[in-house]
Amino acid sequence: MTAEIIDGKKLAENIKQEVKAAIEERVRQQLPVPGLATVLVGNNPASRTYVASKIKTTADLGIHSLSYELEENCPQDKLVSLIEELNQNQDIQGILVQLPLPDHLSEDRVMHTISPKKDVDGLHPYNAGLLTRKYSEPLFYPCTPSGIIHMIQSVCPDISGMDAAVIGRSSIVGMPTAMMLSRCNTTPTICHSQTRHLDEVCRESDIVVAAAGSPGLVRGEWIKPGAIVIDVGINHIPDKTSPRGYRLVGDVEFDEAVKRAGAISPVPGGVGPMTIAMLMANTLKAIEYR
Ligand code: NDP
């Protein structure tokens, strides 16, 4: 058996086209278009690439965008003041502060400062808290977990009753993904660096979401035949044959897992494009809270 490949690029393109059409319709009706502010602090090359890609996508879709670049040693108060200003800016509905921040800055304080109504990344503790409450809806679902759920449901719309392994418990990916999987009526097991018998948890799971940042962690033989496997990991592996000097791999041993899984997402071309598409969808939604 060879797994169906979950094409994140194609799914993301569909979502972006829907957002674009909705924005064109707003323009036709002379309604305000949403605005997204991106804030990049420091010189992390990967963060710079991600922000550039987000800015380009906003332009492609007709979303108004403002971008801010702050120096690596930017004081905490300066960043907080900028966010407070953006909270008041009527032309901006979404604020995205690219993570990770330089070590001297508190991500927690920054996340608390963003207005929950402009929290298009879905990481504010208010929205994160609502995600855990059975009868509540967060104002925004976080982008990468939303992309993951969308990808899973693209191959299996009803995952109710399934067992899921989520490898990683970060506030950005692992934990909210587990919460969203629970909302879809699966039974998630949250795994982390101290989990014993990770292989056994995976073997018993109908869905495996790997978000550890550890290349090849999930072995092909751990995959239950027919399972849905979403590989979130983005790992740079030195590769002299590549013009960039590296190649990107995920957390799953793809070549082996593809022979056992029912459906699997690749790296690159899987979760990455979905994260940006979901950010655009959240920015469109943010106009409702204007
Ligand atoms: P973090 O480093 O914040 O979290 C990693 C998690 O994985 C931790 O909970 C850690 O456990 C767990 N972990 C690490 N090693 C192991 C192991 N050997 N076995 C089991 N669990 C392990 O990373 P993020 O959540 O931010 O990101 C995870 C990966 O996803 C990264 O590769 C990142 O680049 C990628 N990513 C991709 C995105 C996309 O759009 N495609 C978006 C965001 C992230 P513990 O808590 O015990 O330390």
Side-chain angles (χ1 to χ4, degrees), residues 46-102:
S47 294
R48 193 165 282 279
T49 308
Y50 294 141
V51 168
S53 173
K54 287 166 186 172
I55 293 171
K56 182 183 176 309
T57 310
T58 53
D60 291 346
L61 304 191
I63 292 173
H64 165 64
S65 105
L66 280 181
S67 64
Y68 296 84
E69 288 195 17
L70 303 178
E71 65 280 15
E72 181 82 28
N73 60 357
C74 160
Q76 177 91 45
D77 288 348
K78 185 173 171 186
L79 177 58
V80 166
S81 300
L82 171 62
I83 297 168
E84 284 169 347
E85 214 176 278
L86 291 170
N87 283 341
Q88 300 303 322
N89 186 332
Q90 292 296 311
D91 295 332
I92 291 299
Q93 280 69 51
I95 302 171
L96 179 131
V97 179
Q98 185 64 44
L99 302 178
L101 291 170

Side-chain angles (χ1 to χ4, degrees), residues 179-240:
M179 294 303 144
M180 289 181 74
L181 281 166
S182 171
R183 281 175 172 256
C184 295
N185 295 324
T186 74
T187 305
T189 301
I190 303 169
C191 308
H192 47 76
S193 63
Q194 307 306 309
T195 298
R196 283 189 214 157
H197 315 305
L198 182 60
D199 55 339
E200 284 173 22
V201 179
C202 289
R203 278 182 222 276
E204 286 169 11
S205 297
D206 308 297
I207 298 169
V208 175
V209 177
S214 177
L217 170 69
V218 178
R219 313 289 295 271
E221 70 255 28
W222 295 5
I223 302 300
K224 180 175 175 178
I228 302 169
V229 179
I230 304 293
D231 193 350
V232 190
I234 301 177
N235 305 293
H236 295 71
I237 302 293
D239 183 353
K240 287 183 187 146

Side-chain angles (χ1 to χ4, degrees), residues 2-125:
T2 304
E4 176 182 347
I5 305 297
I6 306 176
D7 185 344
K9 267 192 192 164
K10 193 168 155 198
L11 291 171
E13 197 49 46
N14 293 342
I15 293 165
K16 287 191 289 185
Q17 288 311 317
E18 283 172 21
V19 171
K20 189 174 182 185
I23 289 171
E24 284 169 355
E25 184 54 31
R26 292 188 71 85
V27 172
R28 257 193 296 282
Q29 294 185 22
Q30 299 187 325
L31 293 168
V33 296
L36 176 69
T38 55
V39 182
L40 174 66
V41 187
N43 304 310
N44 181 321
S47 294
R48 193 165 282 279
T49 308
Y50 294 141
V51 168
S53 173
K54 287 166 186 172
I55 293 171
K56 182 183 176 309
T57 310
T58 53
D60 291 346
L61 304 191
I63 292 173
H64 165 64
S65 105
L66 280 181
S67 64
Y68 296 84
E69 288 195 17
L70 303 178
E71 65 280 15
E72 181 82 28
N73 60 357
C74 160
Q76 177 91 45
D77 288 348
K78 185 173 171 186
L79 177 58
V80 166
S81 300
L82 171 62
I83 297 168
E84 284 169 347
E85 214 176 278
L86 291 170
N87 283 341
Q88 300 303 322
N89 186 332
Q90 292 296 311
D91 295 332
I92 291 299
Q93 280 69 51
I95 302 171
L96 179 131
V97 179
Q98 185 64 44
L99 302 178
L101 291 170
D103 288 345
H104 68 285
L105 297 172
S106 157
E107 286 186 359
D108 213 37
R109 179 150 176 232
V110 167
M111 287 304 126
H112 272 86
T113 307
I114 297 173
S115 161
K117 290 182 177 177
K118 296 192 176 187
D119 172 38
V120 283
D121 244 349
L123 301 177
H124 190 287

Side-chain angles (χ1 to χ4, degrees), residues 144 167-170 173 192-193 198 211-213 217 232-234 271-272 275:
T144 303
I167 308 172
R169 56 178 165 179
S170 72
V173 189
H192 47 76
S193 63
L198 182 60
L217 170 69
V232 190
I234 301 177
V271 179
T275 297

